[in-house]
Amino acid sequence: MVTSRSAAAARLEGAVPRRRGPVLERAILEAALDQLGSVGWSGLTMEGVAVGAQTGKAAVYRRWPSKEDLVADALQAGLPTLDEAPDRGRVREDLYELCRSIRDVMYSKPGFALRAVLHECDHEAAERFHGLITTGIVEPFKRLFRDVIRRGIARGEVRSDALDDLVLDVIPAMMMYRSKVCGSEWVDDEIADVIDRVMVPLLRV
Amino acid sequence: MVTSRSAAAARLEGAVPRRRGPVLERAILEAALDQLGSVGWSGLTMEGVAVGAQTGKAAVYRRWPSKEDLVADALQAGLPTLDEAPDRGRVREDLYELCRSIRDVMYSKPGFALRAVLHECDHEAAERFHGLITTGIVEPFKRLFRDVIRRGIARGEVRSDALDDLVLDVIPAMMMYRSKVCGSEWVDDEIADVIDRVMVPLLRV
C-alpha cells in the first residue's frame, strides 16, 4: 500500500534518480555556471545552486566549503581547453588564429562569467579568480605562443632572440588594456591590427 | 568688554584667517589628498575634509557637490605634470627617461592615492577615476611618446610607420598588465628590460 508519506518521498526522490560522484558534481558545476549567468556572483547562493542541480544543500557543501571554491571549480571546468598551436605556415596567420581562439575563450559563456565575477566580487575572492585567468587562459596561451615563435624562428621568419618572457606578455597585456580602457571586444579586425602593426614588427628578423 | 560669546566666536574664527577663492580651494584639495592617504576612499568624508582644511562643511559642498567630484579634483590637481619629452639623443635613452617619469607619477602620493581609490571605490565612481588616469597620465604620456618617436624617425633610428596608435598603447598596456598580474612596481631595471626587449625591436628600422 502506498502511504501518503512514501508517496511524498517518491515525489521528492523519484523525479531525479539518485546520482553520485562525477555525475552529480558535473550537475552542480553546471548549475553554478547557470546561476552565474542569470543572477551573477552576488545573486548566486549555495542553496540556489543545489536547487538548480536538483540536489540538497548538503551535497554541495560536502564538496565545496565555500562560494569561492564552488565558483572557481565551475569556471575552471567550464573553460574550453586550447588545442595545439595552429600551423598555417606563416607566423602572422598562426598568431591570428591563436588570438582568435583566446578571444573565443574569453568571450565564451564561462569566460564571460569569469570576467563578470571579477567585476562583482570582493577583493579577497578576486585574487582567486585572477589566478584562474592566469592558469586557465594566459599560461596555456603563452605555451602555444612559444610554439608559434619557435616554428617561426626555425623558418627564418622570426628573430632568434624573440622567445622572451616580456615579448610573450605583449598580447595578453594589449588584450587586458584595450578591453579595460577602450572597451575593446577583440573583433577579428582588431586582432589582425594588433598582429600586423605590433607583433609582426616586434618578432621579425 | 569681551563677553563670553564674542570670546568663543574669536576662538572659532581667530585661529585661521578667513580664506577665500583659490587659497581656500587649495587647502580643501590638500586636505582631501591627506584624507585619502590616511583613511582611504571609504574613510573619507566631506566633514573630515572640512575639518582638515579648517573650514566648514558648507564651503566644501558649495564647490564640490559630491565625494567623487572632490576626490577627482584633488587627484587631478595633485598629479605632477609631465615635462617636455626628454632628448638624450637616442630613442632608447629618451624612452627610458620618459617611462621613469611616468613611473614616478604613478608612484607619487597622488598617483598612489588614485590607484588606491580605484581599488576601493564602487564601479560607478571607478569609471570617473579610470578616466582621470587616461586624461591625466596616459594621454600626456602618449603625446610625449609621439615626440620621441618623431625624433627617432628623423634620426633614422625608428621605422617611418612606427607612429601608430597601437604601438603607443604597448607601454601603458605592459605597465598595467605587469602591475596587476605580476605585482610589478616598475623599478628602473624592469623599465630598461621592457624598452630593450620589446620597444627597441618594435620601433627599429
Side-chain angles (χ1 to χ4, degrees):
Chain A
M1 182 162 85
V2 174
T3 63
S4 60
R5 182 158 166 262
S6 58
R11 276 195 299 275
L12 273 174
E13 299 187 3
V16 180
R18 183 175 285 279
R19 297 154 300 172
R20 295 181 188 287
V23 177
L24 177 54
E25 285 172 14
R26 259 199 302 279
I28 293 173
L29 294 179
E30 264 305 313
L33 276 186
D34 286 340
Q35 288 276 297
L36 279 177
S38 55
V39 297
W41 165 266
S42 40
L44 185 149
T45 60
M46 304 296 257
E47 292 77 1
V49 171
V51 167
Q54 291 177 298
T55 187
K57 245 187 350 182
V60 182
Y61 274 113
R62 194 175 304 133
R63 293 162 176 79
W64 292 281
S66 75
K67 183 170 160 173
E68 282 85 349
D69 292 322
L70 174 59
V71 169
D73 275 8
L75 292 170
Q76 185 139 39
L79 283 174
T81 49
L82 293 165
D83 300 328
E84 283 185 12
D87 192 351
R88 303 275 189 283
R90 285 191 65 80
V91 163
R92 192 263 176 207
E93 273 65 37
D94 290 350
L95 273 185
Y96 179 67
E97 288 308 322
L98 181 56
C99 289
R100 287 174 82 231
S101 299
I102 303 299
R103 185 270 320 276
D104 291 345
V105 168
M106 289 309 292
Y107 287 85
S108 67
K109 176 173 159 184
F112 194 75
L114 174 53
R115 288 179 301 123
V117 164
L118 275 167
H119 194 69
E120 275 186 80
C121 71
D122 61 69
H123 295 294
E124 294 85 50
E127 275 201 38
R128 177 88 171 264
F129 298 119
H130 275 299
L132 198 61
I133 287 196
T134 302
T135 57
I137 297 178
V138 176
E139 291 301 323
F141 163 76
K142 284 166 93 166
R143 277 196 299 272
L144 299 180
F145 191 6
R146 275 192 202 98
D147 290 345
V148 168
I149 290 183
R150 276 191 204 103
R151 260 190 256 125
I153 292 172
R155 277 190 221 113
E157 279 189 277
V158 172
R159 55 187 172 93
S160 54
D161 54 355
L163 207 58
D164 180 304
D165 281 345
L166 291 177
V167 170
L168 294 175
D169 276 349
V170 174
I171 288 179
M174 289 290 275
M175 286 187 87
M176 175 184 285
Y177 176 79
R178 289 184 61 80
S179 170
K180 275 184 100 67
V181 174
C182 316
S184 157
E185 289 187 339
W186 283 96
V187 295
D188 288 358
D189 283 351
E190 191 169 351
I191 293 177
D193 282 345
V194 171
I195 288 168
D196 289 328
R197 289 154 56 182
V198 177
M199 297 313 297
V200 166
L202 176 55
L203 294 172
R204 68 191 167 121
V205 168
Chain B
M1 182 163 85
V2 171
T3 65
S4 61
R5 182 160 167 260
S6 59
R11 275 194 301 273
L12 272 174
E13 299 188 3
V16 180
R18 182 175 285 279
R19 295 155 302 172
R20 299 183 186 287
V23 178
L24 178 53
E25 286 172 13
R26 259 199 303 279
I28 293 172
L29 294 178
E30 264 305 314
L33 276 186
D34 286 342
Q35 288 276 297
L36 281 177
S38 56
V39 298
W41 166 266
S42 40
L44 185 148
T45 60
M46 305 296 257
E47 292 79 357
V49 171
V51 166
Q54 293 178 297
T55 188
K57 244 185 353 182
V60 182
Y61 275 112
R62 194 175 306 131
R63 293 162 176 79
W64 293 280
S66 75
K67 184 170 158 174
E68 283 86 347
D69 293 322
L70 174 59
V71 169
D73 275 7
L75 291 170
Q76 183 139 40
L79 284 173
T81 49
L82 294 164
D83 299 328
E84 283 186 10
D87 192 351
R88 303 276 189 283
R90 285 190 66 79
V91 163
R92 192 260 175 212
E93 272 66 37
D94 290 349
L95 273 184
Y96 179 66
E97 288 308 323
L98 181 56
C99 289
R100 289 175 78 230
S101 301
I102 303 298
R103 186 269 321 273
D104 291 345
V105 168
M106 289 307 294
Y107 287 84
S108 67
K109 177 172 157 182
F112 193 75
L114 173 53
R115 288 179 302 123
V117 165
L118 275 168
H119 193 70
E120 274 186 81
C121 71
D122 61 70
H123 293 293
E124 294 85 47
E127 276 201 39
R128 177 87 171 265
F129 299 119
H130 275 298
L132 198 59
I133 287 196
T134 302
T135 57
I137 299 179
V138 176
E139 291 301 322
F141 163 76
K142 285 166 93 165
R143 277 196 298 273
L144 298 180
F145 191 5
R146 276 191 201 99
D147 291 343
V148 169
I149 289 183
R150 277 191 203 101
R151 259 190 255 125
I153 292 173
R155 275 190 221 112
E157 277 191 277
V158 172
R159 55 188 171 92
S160 55
D161 55 355
L163 207 58
D164 179 304
D165 281 343
L166 290 177
V167 170
L168 294 175
D169 276 349
V170 173
I171 288 179
M174 290 290 275
M175 286 188 86
M176 176 185 284
Y177 176 80
R178 290 184 61 80
S179 169
K180 272 185 101 68
V181 174
C182 316
S184 158
E185 289 187 340
W186 282 95
V187 295
D188 288 359
D189 283 351
E190 190 168 351
I191 292 176
D193 282 344
V194 170
I195 288 166
D196 288 329
R197 289 155 55 180
V198 176
M199 298 313 297
V200 166
L202 175 54
L203 294 171
R204 69 193 165 120
V205 168

